[in-house]
Amino acid sequence: MTDTALVLGSGGVTGSAWETGILHGLAKAGVDLGAADLIIGSSAGAVVGAQLASGLLGLPGLYQLQLADPQDLTGGRLGPAMLLRYTAAVLSARTPEAYGRKLGRIAQDARPGVTGEQRRAAIASRLLSPEWPERPLLVTAVDATTGELRTFDKDSGVPLADAVTASCAVPGVWPVARIEGRTWIDGGVHSTANAQLAAGYGRVVVIAPSAGGNRALAAPHVQAAALAANGARVEVITPDAAAKKAFGRNPLDPSRRAAAARAGLDQSAAHTEAVATVLSS
């Protein structure tokens, strides 16, 4: 493949598992997105993207990791009070940056049950290598002060574990990440997919565990439509009803990981033909 971008969106522990199941199922059917020219990962997608781009473990192995006992994973939850603050933030924001600033304040005021060092260690343990892959990988995060989106790559001078930790820093659940003297929060705060970063690529596949959008944040399908309007062939994969049921109500619950992975594997068959068409010359 040439000129192909794979976009992996945010969605917590269950999102990572479902994305891996989708990728594994597509590869089993002969459509291997691991060969994409660029991988863009936000939050859950940053973890999967880093694992995939490392090339150290094939998709069958990555899928088996999702089925393993998740006793090594610490779960999280957005409680009712925090969800109300999220809702208030999105209702009063008109741009991703404004929303990012509001959630940045929430994140910096919160007192998570783990330290930044503990959270970084947890993320690092999920990565197959501490080093950036040679293959192009973009990891997103949001500046907690300005609300602006930032991408990190192997040329950014930022360690891979730091970049992925920042991308996974869910406001109100996990500590803000500190990089280059600034504080950072989850890349999914800017949008659940950040598919706009694939602009210029002729073939784009977006795998987005969180399909929604609002007046501040563009939904994956809206971003995909903008790419298509500029001449790209695009396929967007979002969870079907069975996958949503497998996720449960809390995407940060590790006990739902295996079910989400299996749901992704099952759903992949419905998208094989469309993805193959996008990737065809």
Side-chain angles (χ1 to χ4, degrees), residues 15-256:
S16 290
W18 174 80
E19 287 175 337
T20 303
I22 290 283
L23 290 167
H24 178 46
L26 290 173
K28 285 180 66 176
V31 184
D32 188 359
L33 289 167
D37 298 296
L38 173 67
I39 298 174
I40 300 166
S42 297
S43 197
V47 176
V48 178
Q51 292 173 334
L52 183 64
S54 75
L56 297 175
L57 192 62
L59 279 165
L62 293 176
Y63 179 72
Q64 288 302 316
L65 285 179
Q66 300 301 322
L67 302 183
D69 188 336
Q71 62 181 359
D72 60 322
L73 295 183
T74 300
R77 174 180 290 276
L78 283 168
M82 190 59 67
L83 285 172
L84 283 175
R85 295 188 70 182
Y86 269 62
T87 300
V90 78
L91 290 175
S92 60
R94 296 185 178 276
T95 66
E97 291 77 19
Y99 183 59
R101 289 192 294 272
K102 292 175 183 294
L103 288 198
R105 287 193 289 272
I106 290 173
Q108 294 181 85
D109 290 342
R111 296 293 180 266
V114 298
T115 66
E117 292 77 11
Q118 290 171 325
R119 180 60 179 163
R120 185 188 186 280
I123 293 295
S125 71
R126 300 181 200 176
L127 306 180
L128 301 180
S129 169
E131 305 298 329
W132 283 93
E134 286 303 312
R135 296 185 45 224
L137 169 68
L138 291 181
V139 171
T140 69
V142 168
D143 187 307
T145 301
T146 68
E148 295 176 346
L149 183 69
R150 164 83 184 270
T151 60
F152 299 98
D153 61 16
K154 62 184 176 65
D155 297 320
S156 65
V158 173
L160 177 62
D162 288 343
V164 178
T165 300
S167 192
C168 295
V170 180
V173 177
W174 306 121
V176 293
R178 300 187 185 280
I179 300 173
E180 299 174 341
R182 303 193 67 82
T183 52
W184 303 88
I185 56 175
D186 197 295
V189 167
H190 192 268
S191 83
T192 60
N194 290 307
Q196 76 282 359
L197 297 173
Y201 282 77
R203 292 174 283 191
V204 182
V205 177
V206 181
I207 305 178
S210 300
N214 50 56
R215 70 176 184 177
L217 309 184
H221 284 92
V222 172
Q223 294 178 332
L227 294 172
N230 284 313
R233 293 203 297 269
V234 188
E235 173 69 6
V236 180
I237 303 175
T238 56
D240 61 12
K244 292 176 183 177
K245 183 177 180 180
F247 291 176
R249 295 186 176 183
N250 178 17
L252 302 176
D253 181 1
S255 72
R256 310 293 298 194

